[in-house]
Amino acid sequence: MFVDKAEVVIKAGDGGDGYVSFRHEKFVDKGGPDGGDGGDGGDIVLLASRNQNTLAAFRYQKRLTAEPGSPGFKQRKHGKSGDDLVVPVPVGTTLVSNEGEVIADLTEDGQRAIVAAGGKGGFGNAHFVSSTRQAPRVAEKGEKGDELSAVLELRMIADVGLVGLPNAGKSTLLASISNARPEIADYPFTTLTPNLGVVDIDKEHSLLFADIPGLIEGASHGKGLGDEFLRHVERTAVLLHLVDAYQDDIAGAYQTIQSELKAYKIDLTKRPQLVALTKVEGLDEEIITDRIAELRAVVPKGTTIVAISSQSKQGISELLYAVQKVVDKERKKQQKNSKPALPVIRLTEDVAWKVTPTKDGYKVTGRKIERFAMRTDFTNPQGVQRLRDIMKKMGIMRELERKGVEPGQHITIGSIGSLEY
């Protein structure tokens, strides 16, 4: 079953808790702390694979969960880190958050993307030994792994996308020029899912063709099948627009599809296009010439128009060489215009914090301080005192005093926990 869209819940592994322990071996005088660190949680990794061609596996496996890290143990034993969950997806898969942000876009075979990071393991009490603190009874909790709801979308990556009204001959053409075997019948909407076919142009060149299910007027707004499958046209380099030579209104049939391509969220009419007049095997040359003239009146100037027959192979070679020429030109243009992505460097993102008044005290927000709070065991007085010391070093306590904090007021850190001033 072909599935090109799936909602998933992604949960990376939580980090393991640190351990509080002291040496108690025989003949060891005043054994020191030996609690080990917790292991890191596993990441969620998407892997683009050409062996995958559908998202059907995610219809029933909607929750992707990585292994959590194990807690530390005595004798400085480090907890085992959780295994990453590597999820194979088809090449061309995009992961989009519920807010519409693109989290990952996998366009090449073997490409990997970490879409949810596992939580770091907490430090055991052996980690906090110093000359002035020789018997710490504090250990950190492991961080929570990232969790999010998102949508996997498959957008086929093809050189050529076949578009046209239902029964324009797209599936017949694909079956004629490649080894693809799409369903073919004499009724509309025979093709219910996109089909791919590799077409050999000559000994050195081949192209990947995508047969997009038939569009109708209003497809860009959800009518028919086109609203679901127009996304597969987004990545194609060139569009091949097929028009049935037996249409009563040749120009109208062409303009209907162009209107839907233009009304889509991305104006697809800006893609390079060729036009094929199909099913001409039973027509006289004079009729074919008239049909082409009708198309010439509405297609953009310079657009290649070829009359073809998938049954008799008439015009097929001419069409394929013309398509190859346009695809080569477009790929070179895309390569020339592509710019390497530069990393965005944020110097103060982790250390920035903010203090805002609340009904019963103050709220402190900031990535770094919230991470420290997440790792704090609020039931452990020494752990809470360590958090206070960190807040003092970061200047948060001074800012609270400047804002007029009073003894007994609650200081909430993010949405994690609170302590009294």
Side-chain angles (χ1 to χ4, degrees):
M1 178 182 293
F2 183 86
V3 177
D4 61 355
K5 195 171 184 180
E7 295 182 5
V8 290
V9 176
I10 297 172
K11 176 67 174 76
D14 296 337
D17 295 341
Y19 197 77
V20 176
S21 175
F22 293 87
R23 297 176 63 185
H24 292 291
E25 296 98 339
K26 192 175 182 181
F27 306 119
V28 176
D29 185 36
K30 297 181 179 179
D34 67 348
D37 302 341
D40 296 338
D43 300 331
I44 303 287
V45 182
L46 295 187
L47 171 65
S49 171
R50 62 185 178 184
N51 297 323
Q52 305 289 321
N53 54 19
T54 177
L55 299 174
F58 302 99
R59 293 190 67 200
Y60 306 105
Q61 184 187 355
K62 292 186 177 294
R63 188 171 181 86
L64 308 176
T65 306
E67 186 179 12
S70 300
F73 199 58
K74 57 187 177 182
Q75 296 181 344
R76 296 180 182 258
K77 291 181 180 178
H78 196 292
K80 176 184 176 295
S81 292
D83 293 332
D84 295 340
L85 178 65
V86 180
V87 184
V89 295
V91 176
T93 298
T94 302
L95 182 69
V96 183
S97 69
N98 291 340
E99 292 74 34
E101 177 188 0
V102 176
I103 300 170
D105 190 3
L106 305 173
T107 58
E108 297 178 4
D109 183 44
Q111 185 178 352
R112 301 164 68 96
I114 298 175
V115 296
K120 295 294 183 183
F123 291 139
N125 68 332
H127 192 91
F128 300 109
V129 176
S130 68
S131 59
T132 58
R133 186 171 50 190
Q134 297 183 4
R137 296 182 176 275
V138 58
E140 290 183 332
K141 297 173 65 178
E143 292 183 5
K144 298 293 184 183
D146 293 340
E147 183 171 9
L148 67 150
S149 297
V151 178
L152 288 167
E153 292 185 359
L154 174 59
R155 299 183 178 96
M156 287 183 173
I157 300 176
D159 298 303
V160 184
L162 304 179
V163 297
L165 290 172
N167 274 38
K170 299 184 297 299
S171 297
T172 305
L173 174 62
L174 187 64
S176 174
I177 61 179
S178 73
N179 289 326
R181 291 294 174 262
E183 184 178 352
I184 299 171
D186 59 355
Y187 53 82
F189 301 112
T190 309
T191 303
L192 299 178
T193 63
N195 293 294
L196 289 175
V198 177
V199 179
D200 293 324
I201 308 300
D202 51 39
K203 291 182 179 180
E204 298 180 356
H205 299 91
S206 63
L207 296 175
L208 185 62
F209 277 64
D211 169 21
I212 309 301
L215 309 179
I216 62 172
E217 186 174 358
S220 60
H221 301 292
K223 291 186 178 180
L225 302 175
D227 182 54
E228 284 297 313
F229 299 116
L230 269 171
R231 77 167 70 95
H232 296 293
V233 185
E234 290 183 31
R235 296 187 190 272
T236 55
V238 173
L239 298 182
L240 178 56
H241 188 158
L242 275 59
V243 181
D244 187 347
Y246 287 89
Q247 284 279 349
D248 294 332
D249 184 1
I250 293 287
Y254 172 83
Q255 290 173 325
T256 295
I257 298 300
Q258 292 300 307
S259 297
E260 295 311 312
L261 294 175
K262 187 175 182 64
Y264 188 57
K265 61 182 179 181
I266 299 173
D267 186 356
L268 296 171
T269 59
K270 294 181 179 179
R271 298 290 167 84
Q273 289 191 44
L274 298 91
V275 179
L277 185 68
T278 64
K279 307 178 185 179
V280 301
E281 65 271 9
L283 300 178
D284 295 335
E285 285 296 327
E286 184 178 348
I287 297 176
I288 295 174
T289 302
D290 290 342
R291 293 284 192 269
I292 292 177
E294 292 180 47
L295 286 172
R296 289 273 180 217
V298 292
V299 302
K301 187 177 180 180
T303 301
T304 299
I305 302 176
V306 181
I308 66 168
S309 167
S310 299
Q311 300 290 345
S312 67
K313 306 294 184 179
Q314 177 183 341
I316 295 295
S317 295
E318 179 187 352
L319 175 66
L320 293 181
Y321 281 114
V323 169
Q324 175 71 56
K325 186 176 179 180
V326 178
V327 169
D328 286 346
K329 182 178 178 181
E330 181 62 16
R331 290 302 190 200
K332 289 178 181 178
K333 180 181 176 182
Q334 291 176 354
Q335 188 174 10
K336 183 179 179 181
N337 293 336
S338 64
K339 297 180 180 179
L342 297 176
V344 178
I345 302 174
R346 299 180 176 88
L347 297 177
T348 60
E349 181 181 3
D350 282 350
V351 297
W353 47 263
K354 183 179 180 182
V355 175
T356 54
T358 62
K359 187 176 181 181
D360 59 349
Y362 293 86
K363 183 173 184 178
V364 179
T365 55
R367 179 174 171 80
K368 187 171 183 178
I369 188 60
E370 287 184 38
R371 288 188 67 184
F372 277 120
M374 189 183 301
R375 298 162 75 103
T376 299
D377 181 359
F378 283 87
T379 63
N380 185 326
Q382 291 194 26
V384 174
Q385 183 57 50
R386 175 174 176 264
L387 181 61
R388 291 179 187 274
D389 293 341
I390 291 171
M391 293 171 66
K392 185 176 181 180
K393 289 180 180 179
M394 294 180 66
I396 297 174
M397 286 301 189
R398 177 175 291 182
E399 177 65 12
L400 286 165
E401 292 168 0
R402 193 185 69 81
K403 287 183 176 291
V405 65
E406 296 179 358
Q409 285 189 311
H410 286 277
I411 303 170
T412 304
I413 303 174
S415 56
I416 300 153
S418 64
L419 48 85
E420 285 190 5
Y421 181 72

